[in-house]
Structure formats: C-alpha cells, structure tokens
Amino acid sequence: MFVELNNLLNTTPDRAEQGKLTLLCDAKTDGSFLVHHFLSFYLKANCKVCFVALIQSFSHYSIVGQKLGVSLTMARERGQLVFLEGLKSAVDVVFQAQKEPQPLQFLREANAGNLKPLFEFVREALKPVDSGEARWTYPVLLVDDLSVLLSLGMGAVAVLDFIHYCRATVCWELKGNMVVLVHDSGDAEDEENDILLNGLSHQSHLILRAEGLATGFCRDVHGQLRILWRRPSQSTAQRDQSFTYQYKIQDKSVSFFAKGMSPAVL
Amino acid sequence: MAAVATCDSVAGSTGSAVATASKRNVTSFQKRGPRASGTNDSGPRLVSIAGTRPSVRNGQLLVSTGLPALDQLLGGGLAVGTVLLIEEDKYNIYSPLLFKYFLAEGIVNGHTLLVASAKEDPANILQELPAPLLDDKCKKEFDEDVYNHKTPESNIKMKIAWRYQLLPKMEQIGPVSSSRFGHYYDASKRMPQELIEASNWHGFFLPEKISSTLKVEPCSLTPGYTKLLQFIQNIIYEEGFDGSNPQKKQRNILRIGIQNLGSPLWGDDICCAENGGNSHSLTKFLYVLRGLLRTSLSACIITMPTHLIQNKAIIARVTNLSDIVVGLESFIGSERETNPLYKDYHGLIHIRQIPRLNNLICDESDVKDLAFKLKRKLFTIEWVQDNYLRQERNIYPPGFSYLLKQKDSAWGEGSLQHSTFLMSFLAKATAFASRLVRHSEPLKQNGSGRIRQAAGPRLWHDGRRQEAPGLLGIPP
C-alpha cells in the first residue's frame, strides 16, 4: 500500500468505497506496482480477497507484499486470501487429465470456450461463509492480468462476459470491489485487446492508467499516472474528474509528484 | 545464514521443504533458497550450485548468459526460472551466436542442456559451440587485441573517455582469473570434444519426434509445440529439476535452448499469414513453458524470428509473456551499413524488456544506444559514444567564448579535467570558426580587476559574431 497513492485517491483502508470496479491499465511501461498496491490495501482493510494471478508466481507477490507490510502466506492460511496461481494450474491442466473441472479448463479445449469454470471458482471463493460472525468486511476480486486470457485463446467477448458475471456477483450482490489489470497495446493494433479495454473503461468507476513518458526513458521519473473517476451508472451531467501525476518507484514505495516537479529536476 | 551450505544439508532442507509442501497440498517447488518467501527462516541461505550467483538486488538466483557484457546489461544475469527471448536479426547471423554462447556456458559450468530445434540436429549444434577461453591463454589474447587497436589518438581518447567515467563500464577487459560466473569464448575455435561428451544433454529434433507415437494430450497447440512441451516436462520431472520426484534430488540447473521458435518449420503459420488458424498456439506455448520454468531450476533461451511475424499484436503478446527480451538488428543490407557512425560495429542490440521479479523495480541500464561487433574472436557490446559528442557540440556552438564555472560537487574530483575536455574539443571548433571572426583590441583593464568596457555581443543579423574581444594582445 502506497500512502501517497492513497492520498491521491482520497481513500484509506478503513473507509474505502464498496461496489466499485477499478480498472488498471498500462501503456509502454509496467503497471504491476498498482496491483501490489491494491493487494496490500485490501488485505490491510480486512477484506476477503480472491486473487487470480495469471502472470506471476505466488512467491513473487509474497516477497513484494512483505516489503509493503502484508504477509500473503499468513493471509492464505487464515482464509483471508484465496490465491489462484494461474501458471501452476495451467501446467496441471495441460499435462494431467483432471476429474473435476479446473478454473483454467479452457486450455484443453481446441476451440474457444468460455470462462465459466473460472467464474465458478471466483464465486465459490468469495461466497459468504455462514459462520455467524462477520470476519471479513467485504469481498474483493483482483485479476492480474486479463490480457493473458486473450493470449490463451479467449475472445474479447468471452472475457467481457466473465467480467460482467463477476461484477454482478461481487460488486452488486456481495457489495464488494473488483480490480483488474489490462495492458494497452498502444500502436501494436491488437484489436481484441482494444475491444476489451474500451469495454472495461465504460464499465469501471475508477481508471488508473500508468504510462511511460512520451520522451522516453528517464532514471528519475519512471512514468505518468492518470487517474480518472467515472460514474458509469449516472448520466453524463457530471463531468469525469481526471488528474495526472508522475511517479518514481523506489524499493518499498512509490513517490508521486505533479508533472515536471520531480525532485531530481528542482 | 550459512554462506556455503554443504550438499547434504541443502539436500536435506529441500527434502523437508518438499515434504511440508506436500503436506499442505502445494506442489509448487519452494526451495529454501534466495527465492523462497522464507517467513520462518532466519534468512535466505545461499544455494551453492555451480555457475550461479545470487542477485545483489533481491537475492534471486542468476545464471550467466555466456556473454559477460550482456549479463551486466541485464542486471547481473538471467534469473533462474525465466525466459530470455532473442529477437533474431534479419538474416539470422548473430542470434545463433548468442544461442551458442548460452549453451557453451552451460557446458563449462556442468549444467544439463536441453536443445530443441526444428532446423538442425541438436548434436550438430553442440559440435559448433565456441571454445572457452581459459584464464592464462585469455589474458595473452586480450592484450593482443588491445594492442591492435592502440593508435596515437589514444591519449586524446583518454581525456574524452573521462567524461564517461561516471557511466557504467561496459565490460571488464580481461578475465577475472578465478571467475565461476561468466566466461569468455573464442568464436573461431570449437569446444573440445571431451567437454561435450562429459556433459549431460538432451536433444529435441522436431522431424524425428513428430513421427513417434508419444501420447499426445488433447490441446489446441500445434503438434510440434505439444511434443516439445511434453518433452521438457518429462525431462524436468525425470531428472528432478522441480523437486517433485522423490527419487531424484537435483542440485543443478537445466538450460533449455529453443531455436527459431515460431518459424514455419515448427508447424506454425504466424510468419506466413496474418490471421492464421493457429494464432494462439505460440502464446499458449509460452505461457505453459513459463509455468514449467517458474517451478523448476531451469533457465531458457528462445530465438524467434519476430521480423517475420505478420501480426504485430502477436509480438506484443509474446513480449508480455517473456521475461527478458533482447532484439538484435544487424547492419547488413540496411542503409546504416554506410553510416560512418556505425563503421566499427556490426549491428545494434536493443534491450526491450527486463523483468521486475520479486521487486517493484528492476536494474535497468541507463545506456540505451548499444551496438555489438564480432571481432576476430570475441563478441563485444559497446555503447555508441559519438551520439553524445554530437549532442554536446550543439550545446556549445563554436565562435563564442565561454566562461566555465567549476561546480564543486558536480563532477567530484576532476572539474579541472572537465574543463580540459571542453577546451580540447572547443579548441578544435573555435580554431575553425575563429578565422571568420575579426579579433579586436583586448579590452581595457583599469587595474582594479574590473573590466571597464564590457564585451558587447556585436552580432551579425544571422547571429554570428562580428567581433570577438581577444584575450591576448595582438602583436603589431
């Protein structure tokens, strides 16, 4: 959890909004620091988190989480974190025939299937346990990242359907939050990715866009973050707010500053 | 935190780690090494496998790519469990060299090799590996090479080169005598036969394997990729690189090399058609390969002819699914061949992506203009220095006089040397330009140290100086 980013977004773990879909997107840079931020943020907010990690292994998130002050292994043991390690699951699915349907079952199918098993997994993970006492505040679904599903043969429409089902369950029914990461391919003309990104941009309440600097690589400023608040359900009478900041990633935190106000320049 | 763990204790600890892992129903390999999360540990213990070293930044286990210069650019080496993707140059001349350096490094360090190709028999590839330069022979040959390049201009070069002292060195000239990480290779000689025979290697030659009747799992990959994945998974499991085989306790690295992945010889049509039927085959393959690598002690190099891929979106997806991406661009046949800036070099090398593993940041090199050249024996990577000189000439146009303010902390010791640098190269420029400027009388000094008459600009309409106040009196 980056304290400066919390200030910019005007939230703290105690009083975060519920029922929101946050879209993280990165263009020409690596936006994974935002995923680490939200993971540690929601774990500190005592939420039940389902993390669909498709691109990196558990130990990667765990080691970075330790730098940010959360322990993923402890959270998993407590039952606060349900972690789907996509890489390991894919290897199991491809090399061994499993009896019950796996979340990444579509890898075995020749033609484009759908993401229903994955949705079932998410719903199972986040369904409220009737134990009487409310241990966790609200459920949260984190996906890192959705563009990988396109690379694995899913169509953009199938992925949008999956997000729609998840939103209906997690955001509306269970009053939880969702955070998804999508890569922006920029000028690589990835049509499926553009469809996915545009579709999600219209559905989300908050868009965080990490971009590389237009002038190229810089040692002191790693990129630019654009924050866009949206109200998708209401009419467009209220204008969407948008802010832009530049950032520099350090070992355990990220510092944000206004454009051109990097400490290295001043 | 034992610096060097004996084989028994390390094997014992991995055994116990695997046992506890299986108790918790987790089959992912969690070795008690620098990469483990290690909340219960007193600290990461260094795993002593030959040819590896932990990264300074995050304790990640690194292997050498076979080129010490490339290792330095990648932040120390290739991390175990990751993929190095080489985007081939247009005529596939230099990428096989990098491929062979990687494999040769594996043989020298005693790692197990897995070579996969659809074009050449892996046995032939191994016969063509470059010979390692051993320590005492190496020093002599390095001196030889340096001598050939020594010219009378080397003194001036030293002054200019000082400016770049602050920038990281490209490569250590001369081998470290007892280095176990990163060796130099002689591209003109072959690896001795006994070294190849002593090594443990597995070959995958597609035309042989495609006809055999291995049990093929239903999957939507092209058959070539499916067979290769099964082969790799088989080797990893059989030889115990992922720690899940109770009979085999492996403390070695598996180096996987896949040549020309994505070319039509593998049965893939992404290089032939823009929207072929198999457009997801390659990305699925890379994803499952990543899953196999992350849970085993292996490192992989893949060369891919990305310049042939018709659909640019696939290149972006492949880049996202690989860890390190290095692109080679050779000058053969391009207009850069005749560019005097590049006359000493054979091509450019672009480091397109470096992963952020177990960390928020990565060790990205500041230097982006890198060129490589294949000397008689060695493959070296340098940065193209002339770009910087050209930029500085634009900042200090000739014909003006400059007051050099010496800042104390900016360049450490040696601000005097900085001014020497500027003077020496401005001298060349102004010597030319000053003949166009009329030198007037030196300005009057009134003895107190203040110049009474300040030098006015006195410029022509196009900005060139009409008069430059001479500092010395012009002898009549």
Side-chain angles (χ1 to χ4, degrees):
Chain A
M1 180 175 88
F2 308 130
V3 181
E4 291 194 27
L5 186 54
N6 280 345
N7 295 339
L8 293 180
L9 295 175
N10 213 8
T11 57
T12 57
D14 311 320
R15 47 175 198 87
E17 290 183 323
Q18 288 181 253
K20 302 289 176 207
L21 167 63
T22 304
L23 174 67
L24 309 174
C25 103
D26 57 13
K28 288 195 184 139
T29 187
D30 192 0
S32 55
F33 68 98
L34 295 169
V35 175
H36 295 298
H37 162 82
F38 280 105
L39 179 61
S40 53
F41 179 89
Y42 285 118
L43 283 176
K44 282 189 182 167
N46 216 20
C47 302
K48 176 131 195 214
V49 177
C50 173
F51 191 5
V52 178
L54 296 172
I55 200 73
Q56 297 283 8
S57 59
F58 178 76
S59 57
H60 166 80
Y61 295 104
S62 163
I63 293 178
V64 182
Q66 275 185 323
K67 295 190 181 188
L68 300 183
V70 289
S71 168
L72 292 194
T73 29
M74 300 272 287
R76 194 159 65 164
E77 278 168 31
R78 283 202 296 261
Q80 188 187 6
L81 172 67
V82 177
F83 197 95
L84 172 64
E85 195 167 343
L87 292 170
K88 197 161 67 73
S89 178
V91 169
D92 291 338
V93 164
V94 168
F95 291 114
Q96 292 145 33
Q98 309 278 340
K99 279 139 214 123
E100 51 292 338
Q102 295 285 304
L104 297 183
Q105 194 64 29
F106 61 88
L107 284 175
R108 288 185 80 87
E109 286 152 30
N111 48 351
N114 58 8
L115 288 165
K116 198 150 178 287
L118 188 58
F119 167 67
E120 300 287 338
F121 172 83
V122 170
R123 193 170 60 174
E124 188 63 37
L126 289 181
K127 75 168 182 222
V129 179
D130 311 315
S131 61
E133 44 162 284
R135 282 185 76 191
W136 318 116
T137 44
Y138 51 88
V140 172
L141 169 65
L142 240 83
V143 184
D144 178 23
D145 57 60
L146 281 183
S147 309
V148 170
L149 292 173
L150 295 178
S151 305
L152 292 176
M154 284 283 113
V157 177
V159 182
L160 282 171
D161 286 343
F162 165 72
I163 293 291
H164 180 79
Y165 271 81
C166 286
R167 212 157 63 92
T169 314
V170 176
C171 294
W172 189 80
E173 191 185 320
L174 300 172
K175 305 281 186 298
N177 283 345
M178 272 177 66
V179 180
V180 294
L181 174 76
V182 179
H183 292 299
D184 188 358
S185 54
D187 53 352
E189 291 162 12
D190 193 346
E191 287 172 6
E192 299 257 306
N193 205 16
D194 290 338
I195 294 173
L196 178 63
L197 188 59
N198 289 335
L200 282 178
S201 305
H202 285 292
Q203 292 176 27
S204 46
H205 298 91
L206 173 63
I207 303 180
L208 293 177
R209 205 180 141 87
E211 297 164 350
L213 294 178
T215 43
F217 170 74
C218 172
R219 201 154 36 129
D220 299 304
V221 178
H222 291 153
Q224 187 166 290
L225 182 71
R226 269 209 264 161
I227 306 175
L228 177 63
W229 277 278
R230 297 190 71 248
R231 307 273 182 268
S233 48
Q234 297 171 2
S235 63
T236 53
Q238 207 175 11
R239 267 181 51 192
D240 301 333
Q241 277 184 308
S242 162
F243 295 120
T244 310
Y245 299 97
Q246 289 179 344
Y247 61 86
K248 177 175 178 175
I249 306 178
Q250 283 133 6
D251 193 37
K252 292 189 182 184
S253 67
V254 179
S255 62
F256 292 88
F257 35 86
K259 273 171 129 176
M261 308 287 273
S262 158
V265 172
L266 293 175
Chain B
M1 274 163 284
V4 174
T6 61
C7 280
D8 294 328
S9 65
V10 169
S13 69
T14 42
S16 67
V18 170
T20 49
S22 56
K23 251 197 301 191
R24 284 192 219 131
N25 224 9
V26 166
T27 51
S28 74
F29 176 76
Q30 288 178 352
K31 65 173 162 62
R32 288 232 181 144
R35 283 187 73 195
S37 49
T39 43
N40 311 327
D41 282 353
S42 55
R45 265 180 281 175
L46 294 174
V47 185
S48 60
I49 306 179
T52 64
R53 71 171 174 202
S55 149
V56 260
R57 184 175 283 287
N58 53 5
Q60 188 89 35
L61 203 60
L62 300 175
V63 294
S64 169
T65 53
L67 275 178
L70 188 61
D71 286 341
Q72 214 159 3
L73 290 169
L74 299 179
L78 177 65
V80 168
T82 59
V83 170
L84 166 61
L85 178 75
I86 308 249
E87 294 184 352
E88 290 174 9
D89 54 305
K90 209 160 150 202
Y91 300 104
N92 201 14
I93 297 176
Y94 299 106
S95 44
L97 270 177
L98 294 189
F99 189 76
K100 286 175 186 155
Y101 281 128
F102 186 82
L103 297 177
E105 184 70 26
I107 289 192
V108 169
N109 286 321
H111 297 160
T112 309
L113 298 184
L114 197 165
V115 186
S117 172
K119 194 162 71 161
E120 274 180 85
D121 197 346
N124 293 342
I125 298 178
L126 286 180
Q127 293 299 319
E128 293 173 2
L129 293 183
L133 282 173
L134 301 167
D135 295 332
D136 45 353
K137 255 196 334 174
C138 193
K139 202 158 175 17
K140 193 163 64 96
E141 285 169 358
F142 263 115
D143 290 342
E144 234 177 68
D145 270 333
V146 166
Y147 237 70
N148 290 338
H149 289 264
K150 228 178 178 93
T151 55
E153 285 175 359
S154 59
N155 294 337
I156 306 180
K157 243 188 172 167
M158 282 305 290
K159 270 191 221 151
I160 298 178
W162 179 86
R163 164 84 173 82
Y164 306 105
Q165 222 170 4
L166 298 167
L167 292 172
K169 281 200 175 26
M170 276 290 98
E171 90 189 9
Q172 285 172 308
I173 299 297
V176 181
S177 57
S178 61
S179 69
R180 282 165 42 217
F181 189 88
H183 297 84
Y184 290 91
Y185 296 93
D186 183 350
S188 58
K189 297 205 188 93
R190 298 270 162 263
M191 167 103 42
Q193 194 64 24
E194 53 269 10
L195 275 180
I196 301 178
E197 278 164 18
S199 68
N200 180 17
W201 64 273
H202 305 274
F204 181 94
F205 187 39
L206 188 66
E208 280 170 18
K209 304 280 184 181
I210 199 79
S211 49
S212 72
T213 52
L214 264 180
K215 186 166 69 84
V216 181
E217 299 283 329
C219 211
S220 65
L221 297 173
T222 48
Y225 293 157
T226 319
K227 287 255 162 70
L228 178 57
L229 273 179
Q230 281 187 314
F231 185 76
I232 294 176
Q233 195 260 346
N234 214 27
I235 301 287
I236 288 179
Y237 178 70
E238 292 290 318
E239 306 224 345
F241 287 105
D242 60 353
S244 63
N245 196 345
Q247 281 97 32
K248 207 75 198 288
K249 286 195 165 64
Q250 183 65 258
R251 302 308 307 163
N252 205 355
I253 304 280
L254 173 68
R255 284 191 185 227
I256 305 175
I258 308 178
Q259 215 177 22
N260 301 122
L261 191 68
S263 75
L265 289 171
W266 284 98
D268 200 353
D269 61 353
I270 51 172
C271 293
C272 316
E274 182 143 354
N275 286 316
N278 289 328
S279 48
H280 300 288
S281 220
L282 179 63
T283 42
K284 264 198 205 181
F285 171 84
L286 287 175
Y287 187 75
V288 180
L289 179 68
R290 186 184 242 220
L292 282 174
L293 292 178
R294 285 287 198 270
T295 51
S296 62
L297 278 173
S298 47
C300 181
I301 187 172
I302 301 181
T303 65
M304 189 181 287
T306 48
H307 57 97
L308 293 175
I309 295 180
Q310 308 280 322
N311 191 354
K312 300 299 165 206
I314 294 185
I315 303 177
R317 289 179 184 180
V318 161
T319 305
N320 286 334
L321 285 171
S322 317
D323 296 297
I324 304 183
V325 181
V326 171
L328 291 175
E329 182 191 333
S330 80
F331 293 146
I332 298 175
S334 79
E335 66 266 10
R336 287 182 173 167
E337 207 170 1
T338 49
N339 191 339
L341 184 65
Y342 296 130
K343 67 172 159 55
D344 290 329
Y345 301 104
H346 290 123
L348 296 177
I349 184 164
H350 307 278
I351 312 279
R352 300 206 201 271
Q353 182 177 275
I354 295 186
R356 293 164 194 234
L357 290 169
N358 301 340
N359 221 326
L360 287 170
I361 37 181
C362 58
D363 270 320
E364 220 173 324
S365 150
D366 287 344
V367 183
K368 300 288 175 188
D369 311 304
L370 296 161
F372 64 86
K373 62 181 158 190
L374 180 63
K375 286 194 270 202
R376 218 160 25 98
K377 296 178 183 187
L378 297 168
F379 187 96
T380 52
I381 303 178
E382 297 170 6
W383 78 88
V384 190
Q385 295 184 6
D386 292 22
N387 276 331
Y388 294 84
L389 284 178
R390 285 199 177 172
Q391 283 161 20
E392 290 201 303
R393 246 177 226 158
N394 288 332
I395 297 172
Y396 298 110
F400 293 88
S401 53
Y402 295 98
L403 178 66
L404 291 181
K405 190 166 167 208
Q406 297 189 3
K407 276 166 83 169
D408 289 327
S409 59
W411 292 291
E413 82 278 1
S415 37
L416 183 64
Q417 282 154 303
H418 178 81
S419 49
T420 313
F421 151 67
L422 272 183
M423 284 292 111
S424 67
F425 115 151
L426 285 173
K428 282 193 195 166
T430 50
F432 176 77
S434 58
R435 62 185 174 79
L436 301 172
V437 174
R438 187 163 42 106
H439 281 276
S440 59
E441 290 287 319
L443 300 172
K444 292 200 174 38
Q445 311 287 324
N446 60 1
S448 67
R450 273 192 68 200
I451 303 175
R452 221 204 294 149
Q453 180 199 21
R458 292 173 83 93
L459 299 164
W460 281 327
H461 293 295
D462 55 354
R464 281 189 291 165
R465 274 192 91 113
Q466 215 174 0
E467 262 183 21
L471 293 174
L472 304 172
I474 300 170

